[in-house]
């Protein structure tokens, strides 16, 4: 009886040892086949974060962060544009750091990591090909955004590699920092101005504010930006309204029949009038124009000049010539205009003894008129 119990005990111990050996062997096999590839992929991913930070600092001109993530500092596009404009070919100096992110193929890693590294090598190749044309960019030509898009593709590849390696989350901190003293080009901002494709646009302002008026086929839009505040307005464009003049800093709205319509009329627009009214800012309503006895013989912005007390128009005549007409018109009489007020007669007039399109040039004491006429053989300026 005692011998049977001893045999059973030895058999139980043998089975237990056998099971422990099986479990230990499977655990070791699991660690070798899964744990080591996972650990290797994770370490390769961490290595890529530092390689990315070193490359970003080199490309944008910053300093690598001590604990880099995959984020970018604010305004990185402006830093990139500044270096692209001022240092053509600078990106080739960073090519070695870019190559460090194209990890060589590894056998003992998880399949998802292997696929992610294949995509990352493709992103590195794409970025290198997009940066190459910058070295041959001609000064003054438009700077392409394709390199920045390729850089974003590289960041996406790094984030995908991080997730494939089993990291808890993608680090969002900046990979590098930029010194505030680094000179940088101004970052353009979209201007919220509603206007048609063929609108006549006027822009003016200072270092701290900006105005814009756009006149299209259907309306007049106005935008004013100052001190972080935005003022917008849009009103319906009245019939015959041509533009806001002068373009640099508009002070008047001008009404006139279009040149294309005048060309269709048998006798042109010599019998038509010119309307003028002060521009109220912001543009919320259109004032009644004061009509003048004269119609511009050329482009409206080249055929009219005004100061505080008078308006001079290079007007069309019934004979198809040009005549300078001066009208006495101050702000008070302009503001009192009514819809049924007859056109104002010119106070003075001078015939222009030269053919062509006019251009009124502001000079001391009054404008001068330049006439340009083109023939098949030459152009005549008078």
């Amino acid at each position: 009886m005692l011998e049977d119990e001893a045999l059973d005990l030895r058999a139980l111990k043998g089975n237990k040892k056998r099971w422990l050996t099986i479990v230990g062997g499977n655990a070791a096999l699991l660690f070798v086949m899964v744990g080591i590839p996972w650990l290797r992929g994770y370490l390769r991913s961490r290595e890529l974060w530092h390689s990315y930070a070193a490359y970003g600092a080199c490309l944008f001109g910053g300093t690598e962060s001590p604990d880099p993530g995959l984020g970018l500092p604010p305004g990185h596009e402006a830093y990139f544009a500044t270096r692209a404009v001022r240092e053509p070919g600078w990106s080739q100096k960073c090519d070695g750091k870019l190559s460090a992110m194209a990890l060589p193929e590894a056998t003992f890693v998880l399949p998802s990591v292997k696929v992610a590294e294949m995509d990352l090598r493709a992103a590195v190749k794409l970025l290198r090909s997009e940066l190459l044309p910058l070295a041959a960019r001609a000064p003054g030509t438009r700077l392409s955004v394709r390199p920045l898009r390729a850089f974003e593709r590289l960041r996406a590849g790094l984030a995908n590699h991080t997730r494939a390696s089993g990291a808890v989350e993608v680090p969002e901190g900046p990979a590098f920092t930029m010194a505030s003293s680094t000179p940088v080009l101004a970052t353009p901002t979209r201007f919220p101005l509603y206007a048609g494709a063929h609108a006549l646009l006027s822009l003016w302002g200072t270092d701290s504010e900006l105005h814009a008026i756009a006149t299209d086929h259907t309306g007049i839009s106005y935008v004013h930006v100052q001190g972080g505040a935005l003022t917008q307005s849009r009103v319906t464009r009245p019939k015959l309204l041509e533009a806001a003049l002068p373009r640099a800093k508009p002070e008047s709205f001008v009404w006139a029949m279009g040149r294309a319509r005048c060309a269709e009329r048998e006798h042109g627009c010599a019998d038509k009038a010119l309307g003028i009214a002060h521009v109220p800012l912001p543009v919320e309503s259109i004032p009644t124009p004061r009509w003048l006895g004269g119609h511009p013989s050329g482009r409206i912005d080249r055929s009219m000049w005004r100061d505080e007390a008078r308006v001079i128009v290079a007007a069309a005549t019934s004979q198809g010539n040009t005549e300078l007409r001066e009208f006495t018109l101050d702000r008070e009489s302009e503001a009192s205009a009514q819809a049924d007020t007859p056109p104002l007669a010119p106070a003075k007039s001078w015939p222009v003894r030269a053919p062509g399109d006019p251009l009124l040039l502001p000079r001391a004491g009054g404008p001068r008129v330049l006439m340009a006429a083109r023939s098949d053989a030459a152009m005549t300026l008078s």
Side-chain angles (χ1 to χ4, degrees):
M1 188 70 176
L2 292 175
E3 292 180 358
D4 292 341
E5 291 179 358
L7 289 173
D8 291 340
L9 182 60
R10 285 196 296 270
L12 181 60
K13 289 182 178 180
N15 290 336
K16 183 177 180 182
K17 185 177 181 180
R18 187 181 305 111
W19 278 108
L20 289 175
T21 302
I22 293 173
V23 171
N26 287 333
L29 182 62
L30 180 65
F31 176 75
V32 171
M33 299 302 296
V34 178
I36 292 179
W38 175 87
L39 180 62
R40 191 180 184 197
Y42 178 76
L43 294 177
R44 286 166 74 91
S45 183
R46 292 296 299 263
E47 178 186 349
L48 283 172
W49 299 350
H50 290 276
S51 299
Y52 166 71
Y55 176 68
C58 178
L59 186 67
F60 290 89
T63 304
E64 182 180 351
S65 299
D67 187 18
L70 298 184
L72 290 172
H76 65 278
E77 301 95 338
Y79 290 102
F80 180 86
T82 302
R83 301 204 72 183
V85 170
R86 296 177 179 174
E87 305 174 43
W90 94 104
S91 62
Q92 297 178 8
K93 302 176 183 178
C94 306
D95 192 69
K97 293 180 173 61
L98 177 61
S99 299
M101 283 182 284
L103 296 177
E105 293 189 21
T107 303
F108 213 51
V109 293
L110 295 176
S112 59
V113 174
K114 185 176 293 189
V115 173
E117 290 183 357
M118 187 183 304
D119 294 340
L120 191 57
R121 284 191 291 272
V124 168
K125 183 179 179 181
L126 175 65
L127 179 56
R128 180 180 288 114
S129 65
E130 294 295 349
L131 288 171
L132 191 60
L134 294 179
R137 174 181 168 272
T141 57
R142 185 174 182 178
L143 185 63
S144 174
V145 298
R146 291 172 63 95
L148 285 176
R149 292 177 180 174
F151 191 86
E152 290 297 329
R153 168 76 181 275
L154 177 67
R155 291 183 62 216
L158 290 167
N160 182 47
H161 188 279
T162 300
R163 287 188 290 266
S165 67
V168 176
E169 60 182 7
V170 177
E172 296 295 338
F176 54 93
T177 57
M178 305 298 301
S180 57
S181 59
T182 303
V184 64
L185 297 175
T187 302
T189 302
R190 290 186 180 273
F191 205 62
L193 183 66
Y194 176 80
H198 301 288
L200 298 176
L201 180 64
S202 296
L203 288 170
W204 73 99
T206 64
D207 291 341
S208 59
E209 65 174 331
L210 182 64
H211 301 258
I213 288 181
T215 305
D216 57 26
H217 292 296
T218 60
I220 303 166
S221 298
Y222 170 75
V223 172
H224 177 217
V225 179
Q226 183 179 23
L230 174 68
T231 302
Q232 289 180 285
S233 66
R234 182 171 174 84
V235 296
T236 303
R237 176 179 178 175
K239 186 178 180 181
L240 297 180
L241 180 67
E242 276 291 293
L245 298 176
R247 296 285 179 84
K249 186 177 180 181
E251 296 179 352
S252 302
F253 282 140
V254 181
W255 283 253
M257 185 168 287
R259 298 186 69 184
R261 182 73 181 276
C262 290
E264 296 173 354
R265 292 168 54 91
E266 182 178 357
H267 301 291
C269 291
D271 58 337
K272 297 297 180 179
L274 172 74
I276 189 168
H278 179 65
V279 178
L281 298 178
V283 184
E284 296 177 348
S285 61
I286 303 298
T288 302
R290 183 66 172 97
W291 293 96
L292 309 179
H295 192 277
S297 63
R299 264 178 46 173
I300 186 67
D301 57 331
R302 297 179 179 177
S303 303
M304 194 194 80
W305 178 91
R306 77 170 301 174
D307 59 15
E308 292 297 327
R310 56 183 177 157
V311 178
I312 297 180
V313 180
T317 66
S318 56
Q319 293 78 27
N321 299 323
T322 298
E323 181 179 79
L324 288 185
R325 298 176 185 175
E326 179 179 313
F327 300 88
T328 302
L329 182 66
D330 55 23
R331 298 294 188 192
E332 183 177 351
S333 59
E334 178 184 330
S336 62
Q338 302 295 324
D340 56 353
T341 304
L344 182 66
K348 300 177 185 178
S349 62
W350 304 269
V352 177
R353 295 179 176 85
D357 291 331
L359 172 61
L360 290 179
L361 302 172
R363 296 289 297 274
R368 302 290 187 268
V369 61
L370 175 68
M371 304 296 293
R374 180 189 295 273
S375 64
D376 294 339
M379 173 180 285
T380 304
L381 299 178
S382 306

